[in-house]
Amino acid sequence: IDALTHAKHRAPDDARLALDRPWPALWSRLPSNLRRDLPRKQRQLERRGALELVTLRTPGPVLDATLDACFELETRGWKGEHGSPIQRDPRTLLFYRELARELAEAGRFALYLLYCGGQLAAFEYCLRGGGHIEMLKLSFAPELAAQSPGHVLRVLLLQEELARGDL
C-alpha cells in the first residue's frame, strides 16, 4: 500500500480509506509530499495526452472486456516480471472476475480507469459502500511510472466518490 492510502488512525497495511467531506478535509490528510508533487505529475501526464477518468460500476460485457485489459496491463509491470499478476493463476482470475460481477450487481463495485491520450494508463479495482472505499488492486502502464499515474488516478477517483456522495 502506498502513501496515498495511509491515513491517520488506521493500521499501516489497511487498504481502507475513510472518505472525509468536503474534499479539502481529505486532501489535508494526505502526505504533504504527495500533495506537493501530485499537481506536477498530473501536468506531466497531461503533456503526454488528454486525461480521462472512466468509472465502470455495472456488470456486463464492457466490464468483462475492460477487466481483461486491466489484468493484461498488470502483467506488463513489475508484477508480471517478479510478482504474481492476477492473470497468472486461473483461480485468482476467476475470483476477481466473479467478485466484480457480483458486487457490481449489488452496487458495491467500481473499476476506475485513467486514460492518457486514449490509452489505458492506470486502473484501480475497488469495493465501495458503508462510507468507505477499499482499494484492492492498482496497476499502471510501466512506461508512465515517472508520472505516477496510479497516484493521479487515486486522487481523481477520491474526488469523484466525494462528489457522488452515495457511499
Side-chain angles (χ1 to χ4, degrees), residues 144-165:
L144 299 175
Q147 289 81 41
S148 304
H151 285 142
V152 171
L153 172 59
R154 281 195 171 167
V155 167
L156 293 174
L157 81 83
L158 291 171
Q159 288 174 319
E160 178 180 294
E161 284 292 350
L162 286 176
R164 276 180 64 95

Side-chain angles (χ1 to χ4, degrees), residues 30-69:
L30 299 178
S32 60
N33 61 336
L34 180 75
R35 287 179 291 157
R36 180 193 67 230
D37 294 342
L38 196 68
R40 178 176 46 84
K41 298 291 187 176
Q42 186 169 343
R43 285 190 305 274
Q44 290 172 350
L45 273 175
E46 289 169 342
R47 282 194 290 273
R48 294 182 74 128
L51 296 184
E52 180 185 11
L53 176 67
V54 174
T55 306
L56 298 179
R57 298 177 190 274
T58 56
V62 172
L63 177 61
D64 292 342
T66 306
L67 283 170
D68 286 342

